[in-house]
């Protein structure tokens, strides 16, 4: 497709969105002025295809996200903003170290807020990207924010995906959860002052059910002969039930009763095992990646002086990526282990199929989509 054809497609897509935006109370003048400035951004589409929390293994993502430098910077940021963070913890019931972890991972404490024109990025994704309907809704949300007068289109900067400010809020999240904590009449998440942005993060996490004083999860040791079919975020048991199955805390300390818990294996049976609680799921409401949630929780623990994990990560832990997962799903289905679709994403159906294949081959049935499983399937195809 030529640049001219691509521009024609882009403009036609924008024109198709216009009546739907107007139906959601965006004025024609606001839409037309913002869209006249919007540009097709091919870099945005390239970045959508390579999101790190979905393309890196858990160990590699953590090595990038929770570095010694970031931990030091987080502790410094917490000290520098202690009065504000204490006020937010008191009002919203979210620990200071947790808020600091979100701030650090989302924008490196406000130093990397994004320099993409949000309207252009969202228009590109709404017309040409995956999940076009979702990004159209975000584009309309961005136009609603502009229409409110809090910020102009040319100053609305953010990530390639349209996430904005210190907490990298998507437009609809901003509209639903942003707070004017400094009471200056604006919910300003874009400026250098992080007050409103950190309050907005606290409000979002609180409204999604965060429980003050409860951990996101703990590292555990699994007994020999453990039934790995019990693992996964959809499997919930009381802590007492896990203890009765001889699951123990990795440090030897008793595991507190924090309600229903799941055991997850971010790198399969050969890596770290974690028991996660409700707060882990709350973090995933901010970003639906379990790897991201693990990074937030681990960074918060490290800010408080916690150590790295006791267990080691597999040295050959390689994330398959979307294309590799699609191949895995096709080979599993061809071998008689139906994944109920080939979409390049690991869900419960694919995990069940992997586990059934592993059981049939007398392998450790952890359901993990490892390179070893893919190579075994290739060799048998």
């Amino acid at each position: 497709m030529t640049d001219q054809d691509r521009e024609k497609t882009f403009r036609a897509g924008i024109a198709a969105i216009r009546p739907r935006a107007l139906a959601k109370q965006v004025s024609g003048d606001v839409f037309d002025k913002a869209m006249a400035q919007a540009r097709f951004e091919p870099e945005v589409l390239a970045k959508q295809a390579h999101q790190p929390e979905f393309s890196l293994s858990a160990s590699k993502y953590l090595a990038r996200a929770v570095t010694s430098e970031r931990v030091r910077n987080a502790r410094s940021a917490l000290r520098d903003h202690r009065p504000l963070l204490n006020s937010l913890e008191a009002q919203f019931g979210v620990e200071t170290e947790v808020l600091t972890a979100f701030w650090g991972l989302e924008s490196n404490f406000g130093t990397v807020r994004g320099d993409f024109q949000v309207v252009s990025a969202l228009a590109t994704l709404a017309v040409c990207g995956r999940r076009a309907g979702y990004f159209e809704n975000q584009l309309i949300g961005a136009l609603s924010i502009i229409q409110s007068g809090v910020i102009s289109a040319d100053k609305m900067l953010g990530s390639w995906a349209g996430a904005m400010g210190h907490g990298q809020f998507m437009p609809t999240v901003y509209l639903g959860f942003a707070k004017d904590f400094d009471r200056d009449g604006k919910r300003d998440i874009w400026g250098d002052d992080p007050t409103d942005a950190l309050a907005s993060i606290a409000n979002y996490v609180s409204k999604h059910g965060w429980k003050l004083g409860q951990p996101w999860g703990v590292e555990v040791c699994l007994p020999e002969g453990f039934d790995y079919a019990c693992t996964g975020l959809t499997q919930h048991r009381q802590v007492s039930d896990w203890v009765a199955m001889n699951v123990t805390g990795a440090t030897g300390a008793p595991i507190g009763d924090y309600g229903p818990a799941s055991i997850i294996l971010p790198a399969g049976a050969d890596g770290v095992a974690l028991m996660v609680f409700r707060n882990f799921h709350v973090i995933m409401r901010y970003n639906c990646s379990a790897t991201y949630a693990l990074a937030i929780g681990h960074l918060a623990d490290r800010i408080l002086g916690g150590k790295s994990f006791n267990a080691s990560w597999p040295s050959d832990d390689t994330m398959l990526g979307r294309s590799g997962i699609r191949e895995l799903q096709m080979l599993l289905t061809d071998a008689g282990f139906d994944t109920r679709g080939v979409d390049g994403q690991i869900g419960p159906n694919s995990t069940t199929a992997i586990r059934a294949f592993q059981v049939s081959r007398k392998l450790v049935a952890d359901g993990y989509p490892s390179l070893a499983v893919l190579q075994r399937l290739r060799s048998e195809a």
Side-chain angles (χ1 to χ4, degrees):
M1 181 181 292
T2 66
D3 290 346
Q4 186 176 8
D5 290 338
R6 188 178 290 112
E7 180 66 18
K8 185 177 180 180
T9 299
F10 180 61
R11 291 298 160 188
I14 286 175
I17 292 171
R18 189 179 192 276
R20 296 191 287 270
L22 269 57
K24 293 185 178 180
Q25 311 307 314
V26 174
S27 76
D29 287 345
V30 168
F31 185 94
D32 293 339
K33 182 178 180 181
M35 290 301 105
Q37 300 173 21
R39 297 291 180 266
F40 175 73
E41 297 283 0
E43 185 182 357
V44 165
L45 300 180
K47 286 185 175 294
Q48 188 184 42
H50 298 93
Q51 293 170 261
E53 59 265 44
F54 297 104
S55 59
L56 293 175
S57 66
S59 59
K60 290 182 175 66
Y61 184 75
L62 282 174
R64 177 183 295 186
V66 189
T67 62
S68 296
E69 180 182 13
R70 179 162 283 163
V71 172
R72 287 194 300 272
N73 290 341
R75 291 170 180 166
S76 176
L78 196 157
R79 287 193 300 269
D80 292 345
H81 296 85
R82 173 67 76 178
L84 169 61
L85 290 164
N86 283 347
S87 295
L88 296 176
E89 179 177 313
Q91 179 163 331
F92 295 101
V94 183
E95 289 87 347
T96 60
E97 67 275 8
V98 173
L99 294 174
T100 305
F102 275 107
W103 190 19
L105 210 56
E106 288 297 335
S107 67
N108 200 26
F109 314 104
T111 62
V112 185
R113 283 169 266 170
D115 54 8
F116 283 87
Q117 292 284 344
V118 166
V119 171
S120 292
L122 291 174
T124 298
L125 292 165
V127 174
C128 305
R130 293 195 312 270
R131 302 173 66 205
Y134 168 80
F135 285 106
E136 177 179 315
N137 193 39
Q138 297 305 322
L139 174 61
I140 293 171
L143 295 171
S144 298
I145 295 169
I146 292 166
Q147 185 166 286
S148 75
V150 69
I151 193 169
S152 60
D154 62 305
K155 293 182 179 178
M156 182 182 274
L157 302 178
S159 75
W160 63 266
M164 306 176 295
H166 293 258
Q168 293 293 278
F169 270 25
M170 296 300 289
T172 56
V173 174
Y174 172 92
L175 291 169
F177 296 94
K179 301 294 289 185
D180 175 20
F181 197 72
D182 60 12
R183 300 184 181 180
D184 68 350
K186 292 182 178 180
R187 297 187 292 172
D188 181 9
I189 65 171
W190 298 273
D192 291 337
D193 183 347
T195 299
D196 287 356
L198 291 175
S200 300
I201 295 171
N203 185 47
Y204 183 92
V205 174
S206 175
K207 289 291 177 60
H208 282 90
W210 186 267
K211 298 296 183 183
L212 183 70
Q214 296 191 9
W216 61 273
V218 296
E219 187 181 359
V220 294
C221 293
L222 306 180
E224 185 176 351
F226 181 78
D227 182 5
Y228 289 99
C230 298
T231 63
L233 288 173
T234 61
Q235 303 277 350
H236 306 285
R237 285 177 167 77
Q238 296 297 323
V239 172
S240 58
D241 295 329
W242 289 119
V243 171
M245 295 169 66
N246 295 320
V247 175
T248 58
T251 64
I255 304 170
D257 184 3
Y258 300 110
S262 304
I263 290 177
I264 62 171
L265 306 169
D270 293 332
V272 174
L274 300 162
M275 184 182 294
V276 298
F277 307 101
R278 176 181 174 83
N279 282 350
F280 187 86
H281 295 270
V282 174
I283 300 172
M284 287 188 67
R285 294 298 299 271
Y286 205 102
N287 182 318
C288 65
S289 163
T291 304
Y292 172 89
L294 172 57
I296 290 289
H298 188 48
L299 179 57
D301 290 347
R302 293 289 300 278
I303 292 169
L304 284 181
K307 304 299 182 182
S308 191
F309 297 107
N310 287 275
S312 58
W313 298 95
S315 59
D316 60 347
D317 186 23
T318 301
M319 193 78 169
L320 296 182
R322 292 182 188 276
S323 62
I325 292 171
R326 283 194 292 269
E327 182 185 1
L328 179 75
Q329 291 169 327
M330 288 188 289
L331 290 172
L332 281 166
T333 300
D334 290 345
F337 304 93
D338 191 0
T339 60
R340 300 180 183 273
V342 177
D343 59 4
Q345 300 182 55
I346 294 295
N349 292 329
S350 293
T351 299
T352 298
I354 294 168
R355 188 173 282 126
F357 171 77
Q358 291 170 322
V359 168
S360 72
R361 302 306 191 267
K362 294 183 170 53
L363 304 172
V364 176
D366 58 9
Y368 183 65
S370 67
L371 179 60
V373 170
L374 178 57
Q375 289 172 335
R376 178 70 177 263
L377 283 161
R378 285 170 175 167
S379 70
E380 296 183 11

Short mmCIF file of all heavy atoms in Angstrom, two decimals, residues 35 39 166 201 224 254 280 287 293 326 330 375:
data_model
loop_
_atom_site.label_atom_id
_atom_site.label_comp_id
_atom_site.label_asym_id
_atom_site.label_seq_id
_atom_site.Cartn_x
_atom_site.Cartn_y
_atom_site.Cartn_z
N MET A 35 -9.14 16.26 14.47
CA MET A 35 -8.83 15.31 13.41
C MET A 35 -8.05 15.96 12.26
O MET A 35 -7.28 15.29 11.56
CB MET A 35 -10.11 14.68 12.87
CG MET A 35 -10.78 13.73 13.85
SD MET A 35 -9.72 12.35 14.38
CE MET A 35 -9.30 12.87 16.01
N ARG A 39 -2.45 12.70 12.53
CA ARG A 39 -1.62 12.11 11.49
C ARG A 39 -1.54 10.59 11.68
O ARG A 39 -1.53 10.10 12.81
CB ARG A 39 -0.19 12.70 11.54
CG ARG A 39 -0.14 14.19 11.25
CD ARG A 39 -0.48 14.49 9.79
NE ARG A 39 -0.44 15.92 9.50
CZ ARG A 39 -1.52 16.71 9.54
NH1 ARG A 39 -2.71 16.20 9.88
NH2 ARG A 39 -1.41 17.98 9.25
N HIS A 166 1.64 10.74 34.53
CA HIS A 166 2.49 9.99 35.46
C HIS A 166 2.01 8.56 35.64
O HIS A 166 2.82 7.65 35.85
CB HIS A 166 2.51 10.69 36.82
CG HIS A 166 3.18 12.02 36.81
ND1 HIS A 166 4.46 12.21 37.29
CD2 HIS A 166 2.75 13.25 36.40
CE1 HIS A 166 4.79 13.50 37.17
NE2 HIS A 166 3.77 14.15 36.63
N ILE A 201 -4.18 7.50 40.55
CA ILE A 201 -3.77 6.10 40.66
C ILE A 201 -4.38 5.49 41.93
O ILE A 201 -4.95 4.39 41.89
CB ILE A 201 -2.24 5.97 40.70
CG1 ILE A 201 -1.61 6.43 39.39
CG2 ILE A 201 -1.83 4.53 41.02
CD1 ILE A 201 -0.09 6.54 39.44
N GLU A 224 6.80 -32.31 46.54
CA GLU A 224 7.02 -33.31 45.50
C GLU A 224 5.69 -34.01 45.19
O GLU A 224 4.91 -34.32 46.10
CB GLU A 224 8.06 -34.33 45.97
CG GLU A 224 8.44 -35.35 44.91
CD GLU A 224 9.54 -36.27 45.39
OE1 GLU A 224 10.11 -36.02 46.47
OE2 GLU A 224 9.82 -37.26 44.67
N PRO A 254 4.96 -18.86 58.31
CA PRO A 254 3.59 -19.28 58.01
C PRO A 254 2.95 -18.31 57.00
O PRO A 254 3.23 -17.12 57.00
CB PRO A 254 2.89 -19.21 59.36
CG PRO A 254 3.98 -19.25 60.38
CD PRO A 254 5.16 -18.58 59.75
N PHE A 280 -3.56 -8.98 43.92
CA PHE A 280 -2.91 -9.29 42.64
C PHE A 280 -3.89 -9.06 41.50
O PHE A 280 -3.54 -8.49 40.46
CB PHE A 280 -2.42 -10.74 42.65
CG PHE A 280 -1.58 -11.11 41.45
CD1 PHE A 280 -0.22 -10.87 41.44
CD2 PHE A 280 -2.16 -11.71 40.34
CE1 PHE A 280 0.56 -11.22 40.34
CE2 PHE A 280 -1.39 -12.07 39.23
CZ PHE A 280 -0.02 -11.82 39.23
N ASN A 287 -3.51 -3.24 34.50
CA ASN A 287 -2.89 -3.78 33.29
C ASN A 287 -3.12 -5.29 33.35
O ASN A 287 -2.71 -5.93 34.30
CB ASN A 287 -1.40 -3.45 33.26
CG ASN A 287 -0.69 -3.95 32.01
OD1 ASN A 287 -0.93 -5.05 31.54
ND2 ASN A 287 0.21 -3.13 31.48
N ALA A 293 1.58 -7.40 36.80
CA ALA A 293 1.14 -7.43 38.20
C ALA A 293 2.24 -7.96 39.11
O ALA A 293 2.46 -7.44 40.22
CB ALA A 293 -0.13 -8.27 38.34
N ARG A 326 0.55 -19.21 18.36
CA ARG A 326 -0.37 -19.68 17.31
C ARG A 326 0.09 -21.04 16.76
O ARG A 326 -0.73 -21.94 16.55
CB ARG A 326 -0.46 -18.65 16.19
CG ARG A 326 -1.34 -17.45 16.51
CD ARG A 326 -1.67 -16.66 15.26
NE ARG A 326 -0.49 -15.99 14.72
CZ ARG A 326 -0.11 -14.76 15.05
NH1 ARG A 326 -0.83 -14.06 15.91
NH2 ARG A 326 0.98 -14.22 14.53
N MET A 330 -1.98 -24.56 16.95
CA MET A 330 -2.29 -25.37 15.77
C MET A 330 -1.78 -26.79 15.93
O MET A 330 -2.49 -27.77 15.62
CB MET A 330 -1.70 -24.72 14.52
CG MET A 330 -2.42 -23.46 14.08
SD MET A 330 -1.88 -22.82 12.47
CE MET A 330 -0.24 -22.21 12.90
N GLN A 375 8.79 -27.48 20.78
CA GLN A 375 9.75 -28.31 20.05
C GLN A 375 9.34 -29.77 20.05
O GLN A 375 9.50 -30.47 19.04
CB GLN A 375 11.15 -28.14 20.66
CG GLN A 375 11.76 -26.77 20.39
CD GLN A 375 13.05 -26.55 21.15
OE1 GLN A 375 13.29 -27.15 22.20
NE2 GLN A 375 13.90 -25.65 20.63
#
